Amino acid sequence: MICHVKKRLSDYSYVFFEDKPKPQKHHLSVSPGSRHSFFLLRFCNKVSFNIRRVIEISIQHKQLVNRDQMSSPVAAMATTKLYIVYYSLYGHVETMAREVQRGANAVQGVEATLWQVPETLSSVILQKMKAPGKANDVPEIRPEQLIDADGFLFGFPSRFGVMAAQFKAFFDASHELWECQALAGKPAGIFWSTGFHGGGQELTALTAVTQLAHHGMIFVPLGYTFGSGMFEMNEVKGGSSYGAGTYAADGSREPTELELQQAFHQGKYVAEITKKLKNKPLSA
């Protein structure tokens, strides 16, 4: 089946016809970088390589135009969207996430939004585990919504040195984004909670980097930018050069003031980098 473009309405709007016994007319519009462009390209993938290629070229052209417009004062003031996506079973990661959000929103021109990934455990299991209810003020996110963000901070508890299965399930469901590399070039940081010292304060982040790499995202580690707080030896403190972290112990320990300060710093740090990359794309 071959599709022919019959009419070009604009730089990214088309009318095309399929070669069938009864020709079928389609009108397609796409806005570069949006969720709509992603689903449109998915649709065209199933219809024809030719029409998909035409639209991809048009999107690239439109992106070049947008890049040229970045020098204008209006474009320079565009809001940078940072999504803080987390999973929290007993509330430790949620507490960290809110502090990360506060740090990110401290950067002028950045809008940081909290999201939580869907729960995979049944209400019966959660009740037996004595897990508290989920935050009512934080909506659940679907993988395709990630496209709307300029950067990310992903937070989760550790399970045997890797991210919790709930968050892994969320990444597993993002395969359609992976297929077209919709998240490639977007910066992302990681924060976490573990039970104790050997629970994965470094390994949890290190194993999570594989998810970012396959999507083409840019991992933004914290490094030692937190200053003297990185070398604190007089108290127990989570976190590492990979990102901010906390210890839950048996579940009764809450994030300390120093750990929350590090979370705030990470939110601000990643927000600043995301803002820079948005205003000056890597391909410019």
Side-chain angles (χ1 to χ4, degrees), residues 11-58:
D11 282 341
Y12 50 98
S13 182
Y14 303 85
V15 172
F16 73 94
F17 295 84
E18 298 178 39
D19 283 340
K20 289 183 175 181
K22 292 183 179 180
Q24 191 169 355
K25 179 179 178 181
H26 300 276
H27 177 271
L28 303 177
S29 297
V30 57
S31 176
S34 71
R35 265 203 321 262
H36 300 94
S37 66
F38 163 65
F39 286 111
L40 179 56
L41 290 180
R42 271 187 58 208
F43 168 73
C44 291
N45 255 329
K46 298 176 181 178
V47 176
S48 162
F49 172 80
N50 290 349
I51 185 65
R52 175 174 63 86
R53 191 68 199 136
V54 170
I55 293 178
E56 283 179 340
I57 292 172
S58 179

Side-chain angles (χ1 to χ4, degrees), residues 105-167:
N105 280 330
V107 179
Q108 185 176 8
V110 171
E111 179 184 273
T113 310
L114 285 176
W115 301 87
Q116 53 185 330
V117 302
E119 180 59 80
T120 59
L121 298 176
S122 69
S123 57
V124 175
I125 297 298
L126 291 173
Q127 185 177 6
K128 289 182 179 295
M129 295 177 69
K130 296 181 172 56
K134 304 297 182 183
N136 295 325
D137 60 333
V138 181
E140 285 191 354
I141 189 170
R142 301 184 307 277
E144 62 268 23
Q145 290 177 278
L146 294 175
I147 297 175
D148 295 332
D150 301 303
F152 310 96
L153 274 155
F154 298 117
F156 34 77
S158 177
R159 300 290 185 264
F160 304 108
V162 298
M163 65 176 64
Q166 288 84 349
F167 217 102

Side-chain angles (χ1 to χ4, degrees), residues 51-68:
I51 185 65
R52 175 174 63 86
R53 191 68 199 136
V54 170
I55 293 178
E56 283 179 340
I57 292 172
S58 179
I59 292 173
Q60 292 168 6
H61 168 71
K62 187 65 177 178
Q63 288 173 334
L64 288 174
V65 173
N66 289 344
R67 190 185 308 150
D68 292 337

Side-chain angles (χ1 to χ4, degrees), residues 40 166 178 213 256 277:
L40 179 56
Q166 288 84 349
W178 166 79
T256 66
L277 290 177

